[in-house]
Amino acid sequence: METRLLEYFVAVADELNVTRAAARLYAAQSTVSAGLRSLEADLGVTLFERSTKAVRLLPAGEELLPLARRVLDEVAVMREAAPESGAGFRGRVRIGTFAALQLLDLPGVLGRFRRNHPRVDLQLTVSPTGSTGLADDLTHGRLDLALTSLPTTSALESWPLASYPFVALLPPAHPLAGARSVSLAELADDDWVDLQPGFGNRVMVEHALADRGIVRHIAAELAELPAVGPCVAAGLGVAVVPDLVSSEGCVRMPLAEPIGPWVVSLTTRRGQKRRPVVVALIDEVRSAMSDRDGPIAL
């Protein structure tokens, strides 16, 4: 049995769409479809129920999917454990990160890693749904390593890198701009600026609002955390964000009832630490964070 067929199986199971799975694998859709038929014939079972509109994993597929993932993980471990002499590790690491937010000098970290391991290919990506999307990509094998800011599930393991309290950002003309602190209830009737659904900081703020029975109006949804400050300064609304966002042009205030903190972690799918190349990159990132001097700059 070819491992490529298992890759087709896992990708289609993750995406529940042959077209998206083919794009993820850089393969033709017809090749993936033919590969699935070949795998099903070899195994003597039907893995998916397929129609022109939907793909559904059948019970046999659900039972075999964890085994297929395990085989592919073992193959990756074997490939990476047999580096060429003097060339370091071999393989590929797919990394998820936050758009525009520089928590560390990630290009510098990856550059050093590539110089030490020139036969490792690195793929860097972001998710339009922030930490929620990155965690889902890790769980389903679309990523190997990611920065996230939400508690991990049992399928993932993580290592905290940095922690930030939440603060309120107000336009300079806001009636509460002169107060010593501000509560979520006092901001309930304001327009708000926030990131799109799924980002870790928004998830945490929404949980805090829900606990207090507060329903807010979001006037501006953004794709990048560094863009929040300028939008608040322009008068689009108030914001509650981790205290690493630039407050230039805003009034930055502590929360009367603190929430958080917002913890940024390096996260991977459980079991990936068996891959030497993943372990090496985790160590590189953690070392860079421990050597960091002073506050993180955006």
Side-chain angles (χ1 to χ4, degrees):
M1 180 185 301
E2 297 181 25
T3 56
R4 189 66 172 166
L5 301 184
L6 296 181
E7 291 177 357
Y8 295 161
F9 171 34
V10 170
V12 174
D14 287 342
E15 304 294 343
L16 292 179
N17 183 288
V18 176
T19 302
R20 289 198 299 269
R24 166 176 156 180
L25 296 167
Y26 303 101
Q29 183 175 336
S30 59
T31 300
V32 174
S33 295
L36 287 179
R37 290 193 296 271
S38 176
L39 180 61
E40 289 174 328
D42 189 13
L43 295 173
V45 297
T46 302
L47 301 171
F48 298 97
E49 180 180 77
R50 298 188 285 276
S51 70
T52 56
K53 295 184 178 180
V55 174
R56 184 173 69 88
L57 196 62
L58 293 175
E62 292 176 354
E63 184 176 350
L64 292 174
L65 181 59
L67 298 176
R69 291 193 197 280
R70 197 175 310 155
V71 169
L72 292 177
D73 286 343
E74 293 294 339
V75 170
V77 170
M78 185 170 63
R79 285 173 176 161
E80 292 165 8
E84 292 185 0
S85 176
F89 297 121
R90 292 184 296 176
R92 178 186 65 168
V93 183
R94 299 160 298 174
I95 307 156
T97 186
F98 301 136
L101 190 61
Q102 297 298 318
L103 294 165
L104 75 162
D105 179 16
L106 190 56
V109 170
L110 298 181
R112 287 192 298 274
F113 184 83
R114 277 281 289 170
R115 285 192 291 275
N116 292 330
H117 309 290
R119 293 182 63 83
V120 176
D121 294 327
L122 303 174
Q123 294 181 353
L124 201 62
T125 188
V126 299
S127 171
T129 52
S131 288
T132 302
L134 292 171
D136 185 69
D137 287 340
L138 287 168
T139 300
H140 290 95
R142 293 185 286 266
L143 290 175
D144 302 305
L145 199 61
L147 294 174
T148 64
S149 60
L150 285 172
T152 57
T153 66
S154 60
L156 305 175
E157 55 184 332
S158 63
W159 300 265
L161 298 177
S163 175
Y164 305 89
F166 279 84
V167 295
L169 298 183
L170 277 59
H174 194 281
L176 295 173
R180 296 181 61 181
S181 64
V182 64
S183 69
L184 295 178
E186 289 174 311
L187 301 177
D189 294 331
D190 282 283
D191 288 337
W192 283 64
V193 176
D194 210 335
L195 298 191
Q196 296 169 356
F199 282 77
N201 59 293
R202 174 165 173 170
V203 170
M204 294 182 67
V205 170
E206 288 183 334
H207 283 169
L209 292 169
D211 288 344
R212 294 161 175 79
I214 298 172
V215 178
R216 62 175 175 166
H217 173 249
I218 298 179
E221 284 188 338
L222 310 174
E224 299 174 354
L225 194 52
V228 172
C231 288
V232 172
L236 292 179
V238 302
V240 173
V241 292
D243 193 16
L244 80 165
V245 175
S246 173
S247 59
E248 183 178 357
C250 309
V251 176
R252 174 187 165 279
M253 300 179 64
L255 293 174
E257 302 166 309
I259 62 174
W262 186 68
V263 179
V264 179
S265 299
L266 189 62
T267 306
T268 188
R269 192 169 83 252
R270 195 164 294 279
Q272 287 292 291
K273 280 194 69 177
R274 296 184 64 250
R275 295 178 55 192
V277 65
V278 173
V279 173
L281 186 51
I282 290 172
D283 290 343
E284 191 80 49
V285 173
R286 296 180 73 187
S287 175
M289 288 298 292
S290 64
D291 292 343
R292 181 173 51 83
D293 215 8
I296 290 176
L298 297 178

